[in-house]
């Protein structure tokens, strides 16, 4: 497994895992509560920071575990990365319609912020999964 494929696995697992913990924690407060009273900003910032930090630490750990492969890329890796990022861009572009619509409908900031965070998570996971599929099935 190349270092780039390992990094894609890391980002898929970390992105989905951290977002799941965040959404379970915050959205479990929604039933029976006015969303304007839910403190979501700090947990969201912690989730974003944890996602970035865990991704960096896990990538460094993977590079230390297999130093020969670390940083070595070829044309195939670059093409897979580019295609994965294109998929992530399109997912983000489509998913960003929901928070935009919520803002136009003057929904609560809670819903706008959480749908925007979800859009970022979906884009990251979609890009990572696309890369993994391309590595596994060939490009």
């Amino acid at each position: 497994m190349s270092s780039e494929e390992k990094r894609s696995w890391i980002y898929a697992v970390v992105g989905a895992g951290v977002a799941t913990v965040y959404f379970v924690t915050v959205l479990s407060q929604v039933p029976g509560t006015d969303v304007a009273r839910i403190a979501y900003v700090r947990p969201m910032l912690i989730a974003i920071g944890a996602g970035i930090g865990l991704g960096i630490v896990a990538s460094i750990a993977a590079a230390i575990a297999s130093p020969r492969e670390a940083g070595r890329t070829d044309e195939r890796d670059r093409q897979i990365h580019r295609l994965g990022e294109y998929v992530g861009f399109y997912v983000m572009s489509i998913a960003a319609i929901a928070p935009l619509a919520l803002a136009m409908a003057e929904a609560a900031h809670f819903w706008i912020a959480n749908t925007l965070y979800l859009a970022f998570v979906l884009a990251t996971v979609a890009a990572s999964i696309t890369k993994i599929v391309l590595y596994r099935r060939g490009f």
Side-chain angles (χ1 to χ4, degrees):
M1 181 183 304
S2 73
S3 62
E4 294 298 316
E5 184 180 357
K6 287 178 190 175
R7 190 172 298 139
S8 296
W9 276 104
I10 289 167
Y11 290 142
V13 170
V14 168
V18 169
T20 299
V21 170
Y22 168 77
F23 283 120
V24 166
T25 303
V26 172
L27 294 181
S28 66
Q29 300 174 37
V30 171
T33 306
D34 178 21
V35 293
R37 294 178 183 253
I38 296 175
Y40 69 91
V41 175
R42 187 175 199 173
M44 184 182 290
L45 292 175
I46 290 170
I48 292 168
I52 292 169
L54 288 171
I56 291 170
V57 169
S59 292
I60 291 170
I64 291 171
S66 54
R68 288 184 189 178
E69 296 174 9
R72 289 191 350 189
T73 61
D74 58 12
E75 184 61 30
R76 178 176 176 255
D77 289 323
R78 287 187 285 276
Q79 289 177 343
I80 288 173
H81 177 76
R82 185 174 56 237
L83 183 57
E85 294 302 310
Y86 284 156
V87 169
F89 169 77
Y90 288 120
V91 168
M92 180 63 194
S93 298
I94 292 167
I97 293 171
L100 181 63
L102 288 171
M104 289 177 181
E106 298 181 6
H109 291 155
F110 174 86
W111 294 115
I112 296 168
N114 280 288
T115 55
L116 187 58
Y117 178 55
L118 179 61
F120 280 113
V121 170
L122 290 174
T124 299
V125 172
S128 296
I129 289 173
T130 300
K131 293 173 189 177
I132 292 166
V133 168
L134 290 172
Y135 276 113
R136 293 293 169 162
R137 296 211 174 143
F139 180 71

